[in-house]
Amino acid sequence: MKKILSLAVLLMGLVVIDSLAQVETILEHNIPPGWRYKSFAVSRSDIKALYFLPVLPDEVLLTEDHPGRLQVFNEKNNLIADLIIEDNYRLSKISRNDRIILCDGEESGCYHIKVLDPSGKEMYTTKAEGRWPVTAPYGKDIALVPGQEDVGPVSIIDEDTGREKARISPPTGKDKTFRIAAFFPLGEDGLYVQGVGATLCLKSYLHINEVYWKIQDIGGNIKSGVFLNDEYLAIRYGTDDFRDHKFMAGVAIVEWRTGNILFKKKGFQTNGVQDRWFSQLESLSVLVNNDSLYFYGNPNDVLRLPRRSDGRNGWDENRSVKSKFSPGQIGEITLGGKLIKPEIHAGKYVITDFGDAVRIEKSKFVDVR
Amino acid sequence: MRRCPKSVWLVALFLAFFMFGLVNISWPAMQARTDLVCSTTWLVVEYWTNGVYTGSSSTPYSECSFVNSYYSDGGGGQGTTEDPPQGGSGGGGGTTTINNYDTNGNGIVDCYQTAIFHTTSLFITSQCNSARPKSSTGTHDALDLWIAGIDGKPAYSVCTGTVEKVAVETDSNTGAIKEGGWGYYVEIKDADGNIWRYAHLKGTSQDKSGVGLKAGDSVSAGTSKVGLCDTSGTQVAHLHLEYWKDGVKTCPTDKLSNCGANKA
C-alpha cells in the first residue's frame, strides 16, 4: 500500500512539474505562401532571422539555381526586412552587432560571405575560400576558419568592411593532427583561442610573441569547440585507438580569459560498447542555462549539473540531476493528418514547423526527481 | 683468457631470455598506447591593413598531439590495415557473407549506381566537376546522389572497410548543426587506407549515423548500411559522397565503376 501511495505521489509530482514548465515563445510567424521554412538565427539583442526555400520538387532544388527568402525581425518581433536572396546564399548566423551573415557554400565551406545590416541592406561580400565564419563575442572580428577536417589558414576580417586584418597560418607540424582544430576570435585586442593537437592557448594576432595562457595537454586531440556564452568555451577532444578498439571522447569547459578548466569529463567506447558519457561528449551537446550546465545529447536523459557550492567556479557532477526537455515542447503533433515533429536547435530552442507557420520557443528543462 | 664459470653463462642466458620475453610481452601494449608527442612549430601571422599586405611575423611555439601507430586522422596516411579490427556489429546492416555487390571480392562495389541505395533509379544531382555554388567557378569534387523519397532511406557502403568516424559538424558560435556543412556524417576507411565520407545523414546525438554505426565497426561493400539519408547540414535531402585518396580529396568515380547513371 505504501509503495502504491509513494508511486501516486511521485506521478502527481511529475505532472505538477510538467505543468509548471511554462515555455517562452520567442517567435511565431506565418510562412509566406510558396515558401517553406529552412533555418533560423537569433542574435544576443534578440534580432531574429528566418530563411525559407521555395516550394519546388527536391530534384529541382538540387539541380537548378534557386533563390532563398530571408525575413528579419526586431526584438519586438516586428518584421523589419523581407528580401529574396539570390546565388544560393543561405543564412549562416547573426553577429553580436546584429550583422546577418550569409554563406554561399555547401560541405566544403563558404566560397563567399555576404554581410547584411538588420534592415537587409548589403554591407559587403567577401571571399571566404572554403572556410566558415566564426563571430567574436566582443568587438568586430569575424574569423574565417577551415572546416572540421581541413588544413588551412584562419583569416580575421573586419565585420564592418570585410577587409582582412590578419591571417594565421596553420602550424608547420608534421601531420594533420597539428592542424587548427578549433578557433575562437574574441574581438578584444586581437585575442583568439586556438586549439591545435592537444594544446589550447590564448594568443593575439596583434602581439604575436605573447601566449597569455596555454594548456599543453587538454587530455586528447582537440576535435571541435563551441562558445557556451561570452566567457566559456566547450572544447571537445578525444583519442582513437583502432588497434585495441578503445575510443575516448572528452569535453572541457574553459574560461577563455584565464584558461581555467571549470569542468572536464571523459567518456569511453570499448569494443563497440559506449558508456553513458561517450555519445553526450562526442557530439558536444552541452549548454549553460540559468547557471547550470546541461548535457542534452539524449532528450529523455538530460543531465543537469548545478554550480559548485564550495565557492569554486565550475559545476558539480556529484550533485547532478536527471532532467528532460519539457515534454509538451518536443512531443510529436498530428495536425490535419500530418505528423509534425519539433526540432531541438542546439539545445536552446525548439522549432516547430507547421508547414504554413513556424514557432520558435526557448527550451525548457524540467528536473526529474 | 679466463673462462667464465658455467653459472655466469646460465645467468646471462636467463637474463637474455627474460629481456626477450619482456620486450615481446610489452611490445603490443606499447604499440596500442596513445602517446603525447610535442614539437616546436612556427606560428606565422600576416598583417593586412585596409586589405593590403603589410608584412608578417613568426615565432616558435610548442604544441602537443596524441599519436600512435594506430591513430588515424581521416587523411588515410597512417595505416590501420596491418591488423583489421574484428569488433563491432557493422551497424544496422551488419556484415554479411553474401555480397552480390562486390562479385570480384576486391572490396569495392561493382556498380555504385545500383549498390548505394539498392535500386536502379539513382540520380547524380551534382557531379565532381559541377560548379559550387552553381553560378561560381568553385567545384564540388564529390558526388551528390538522390533517389525519389530519399529522406530516411538507407545508404550502403561502397567499400569493405572499417568505420573511421561517426560524427556531426556543428557551428562554433551556436552549437547547432552547421548550415551548409556535412551534418551527421560517417567515414569509412577502405582496404587501401583511403577514406569514403557519407554526409547529410539522419543522426542523433546518441546515434549519429541513424543505423548504429560506431568507430571501429567493420562494413562490407554494398551490404552494410552507412546511414539514413536526411537534410542535416543541407537544404534538400541527398547523399553527399566524398573520396579521400592518400589524404587528397579525389572524385569518387576515379575509384568507382560507372554502369550507366541516371542524371537528374
Side-chain angles (χ1 to χ4, degrees):
Chain A
M1 188 63 185
K2 246 183 189 177
K3 276 183 185 170
I4 293 169
L5 275 173
S6 308
L7 194 65
V9 169
L10 185 69
L11 285 173
M12 280 173 68
L14 286 176
V15 169
V16 170
I17 286 169
D18 277 352
S19 66
L20 288 175
Q22 298 297 319
V23 296
E24 182 189 349
T25 298
I26 66 162
L27 181 66
E28 193 154 11
H29 183 69
N30 289 333
I31 296 171
W35 298 88
R36 60 171 152 132
Y37 166 78
K38 180 54 196 165
S39 62
F40 153 80
V42 61
S43 76
R44 193 164 52 176
S45 61
D46 261 349
I47 297 289
K48 298 142 202 119
L50 294 175
Y51 179 78
F52 304 97
L53 284 176
V55 177
L56 290 169
D58 284 1
E59 55 269 43
V60 175
L61 291 172
L62 282 168
T63 54
E64 293 176 16
D65 279 331
H66 58 82
R69 184 164 177 173
L70 182 75
Q71 294 191 325
V72 185
F73 304 83
N74 65 13
E75 67 282 2
K76 291 177 181 164
N77 287 348
N78 296 321
L79 183 69
I80 53 174
D82 186 357
L83 53 157
I84 303 298
I85 306 290
E86 299 289 353
D87 300 329
N88 294 301
Y89 279 93
R90 67 179 72 204
L91 175 63
S92 176
K93 59 187 65 176
I94 309 178
S95 76
R96 72 177 294 273
N97 303 305
D98 296 334
R99 305 300 185 223
I100 298 158
I101 302 171
L102 309 177
C103 160
D104 69 346
E106 177 141 324
E107 292 114 6
S108 305
C110 309
Y111 289 93
H112 305 84
I113 59 166
K114 193 186 285 289
V115 177
L116 315 177
D117 70 14
S119 72
K121 185 184 164 200
E122 181 177 334
M123 298 173 71
Y124 58 88
T125 297
T126 188
K127 281 186 180 175
E129 295 167 335
R131 294 171 293 174
W132 302 97
V134 181
T135 60
Y138 302 94
K140 294 189 171 182
D141 282 352
I142 296 177
L144 298 174
V145 180
Q148 201 156 290
E149 307 291 339
D150 295 335
V151 178
V154 171
S155 289
I156 307 288
I157 63 169
D158 180 82
E159 188 180 87
D160 285 340
T161 64
R163 285 182 177 148
E164 189 173 38
K165 295 198 282 190
R167 184 176 297 182
I168 297 150
S169 299
T172 54
K174 293 181 183 68
D175 63 41
K176 279 185 74 177
T177 61
F178 283 96
R179 68 191 176 82
I180 299 172
F183 191 96
F184 302 93
L186 298 161
E188 280 184 6
D189 200 25
L191 290 171
Y192 62 90
V193 169
Q194 174 181 283
V196 175
T199 304
L200 190 76
C201 63
L202 176 68
K203 298 187 210 175
S204 167
Y205 60 82
L206 297 178
H207 311 285
I208 185 170
N209 293 319
E210 296 284 342
V211 177
Y212 300 95
W213 54 255
K214 181 155 82 168
I215 301 167
Q216 189 84 357
D217 168 19
I218 202 161
N221 282 338
I222 293 166
K223 301 198 170 183
S224 66
V226 63
F227 279 106
L228 286 184
N229 56 25
D230 294 349
E231 307 302 322
Y232 304 144
L233 303 171
I235 304 296
R236 182 173 71 93
Y237 59 90
T239 52
D240 303 327
D241 187 341
F242 285 86
R243 170 79 175 201
D244 283 356
H245 289 261
K246 286 179 184 166
F247 301 88
M248 182 273 287
V251 166
I253 312 294
V254 179
E255 190 175 41
W256 72 256
R257 287 182 190 279
T258 61
N260 289 335
I261 296 176
L262 306 181
F263 181 81
K264 200 171 175 182
K265 187 72 189 172
K266 289 179 180 179
F268 296 90
Q269 176 188 311
T270 308
N271 294 323
V273 179
Q274 298 179 349
D275 66 21
R276 187 188 183 190
W277 281 97
F278 186 85
S279 62
Q280 295 262 17
L281 303 177
E282 203 194 20
S283 56
L284 204 55
S285 306
V286 56
L287 62 90
V288 173
N289 189 352
N290 296 330
D291 247 15
S292 286
L293 187 66
Y294 287 85
F295 289 92
Y296 62 89
N298 181 349
N300 298 313
D301 187 19
V302 176
L303 208 58
R304 182 175 75 80
L305 278 57
R307 279 270 183 197
R308 296 178 69 108
S309 56
D310 57 6
R312 287 161 63 194
N313 207 353
W315 296 271
D316 191 350
E317 190 190 341
N318 294 327
R319 293 194 295 130
S320 66
V321 180
K322 190 176 172 185
S323 188
K324 63 178 180 178
F325 284 88
S326 173
Q329 281 191 300
I330 60 169
E332 291 178 350
I333 307 160
T334 306
L335 202 66
K338 191 181 158 196
L339 189 69
I340 294 164
K341 194 172 188 310
E343 167 202 339
I344 297 169
H345 182 89
K348 296 170 197 152
Y349 303 100
V350 176
I351 301 171
T352 311
D353 178 4
F354 297 97
D356 57 353
V358 61
R359 183 175 68 205
I360 296 156
E361 298 165 316
K362 273 192 180 167
S363 297
K364 182 84 180 176
F365 295 99
V366 287
D367 287 351
V368 180
R369 293 183 191 277
Chain B
M1 196 172 132
R2 279 182 62 190
R3 291 187 62 172
C4 290
K6 200 181 270 182
S7 58
V8 173
W9 281 109
L10 282 172
V11 168
L13 202 61
F14 173 77
L15 280 173
F17 271 110
F18 178 74
M19 291 304 289
F20 180 77
L22 195 68
V23 166
N24 274 281
I25 289 164
S26 61
W27 179 239
M30 287 164 70
Q31 278 192 313
R33 205 179 64 214
T34 49
D35 294 319
L36 188 67
V37 174
C38 298
S39 73
T40 300
T41 63
W42 286 85
L43 175 73
V44 181
V45 174
E46 294 175 2
Y47 300 101
W48 295 70
T49 308
N50 294 330
V52 178
Y53 175 74
T54 55
S56 68
S57 178
S58 61
T59 184
Y61 178 71
S62 163
E63 276 158 325
C64 300
S65 182
F66 282 88
V67 294
N68 71 12
S69 316
Y70 311 107
Y71 180 77
S72 183
D73 192 48
Q78 298 170 31
T80 61
T81 54
E82 58 182 355
D83 187 4
Q86 302 299 312
S89 64
T95 54
T96 169
T97 51
I98 304 163
N99 187 345
N100 297 324
Y101 295 94
D102 177 20
T103 51
N104 61 8
N106 70 349
I108 298 290
V109 293
D110 303 331
C111 170
Y112 74 96
Q113 288 94 340
T114 54
I116 289 184
F117 294 113
H118 289 189
T119 173
T120 54
S121 57
L122 174 144
F123 288 86
I124 301 169
T125 56
S126 191
Q127 300 271 5
C128 293
N129 58 3
S130 299
R132 278 302 177 96
K134 295 174 182 69
S135 51
S136 85
T137 53
T139 55
H140 185 213
D141 299 329
L143 291 177
D144 281 352
L145 307 170
W146 180 86
I147 55 170
I150 191 171
D151 203 348
K153 290 259 169 66
Y156 293 82
S157 179
V158 295
C159 68
T160 295
T162 306
V163 178
E164 178 81 0
K165 191 175 285 186
V166 188
V168 59
E169 194 174 26
T170 52
D171 185 281
S172 299
N173 284 113
T174 64
I177 294 174
K178 189 184 279 177
E179 272 299 320
W182 294 314
Y184 288 99
Y185 66 97
V186 165
E187 290 179 359
I188 308 289
K189 179 177 271 189
D190 67 20
D192 296 327
N194 297 319
I195 297 291
W196 297 85
R197 181 178 294 139
Y198 304 80
H200 310 312
L201 302 179
K202 194 182 281 294
T204 63
S205 295
Q206 304 134 281
D207 178 9
K208 295 177 191 63
S209 66
V211 294
L213 280 191
K214 298 186 185 81
D217 283 354
S218 300
V219 295
S220 295
T223 54
S224 296
K225 291 173 188 172
V226 290
L228 305 176
C229 296
D230 189 38
T231 54
S232 69
T234 187
Q235 297 190 339
V236 178
H238 67 277
L239 181 70
H240 173 82
L241 177 63
E242 292 180 8
Y243 175 50
W244 289 73
K245 187 180 180 184
D246 300 326
V248 178
K249 196 175 176 187
T250 308
C251 187
T253 52
D254 286 6
K255 184 76 177 175
L256 296 175
S257 296
N258 187 325
C259 52
N262 303 299
K263 195 170 185 306

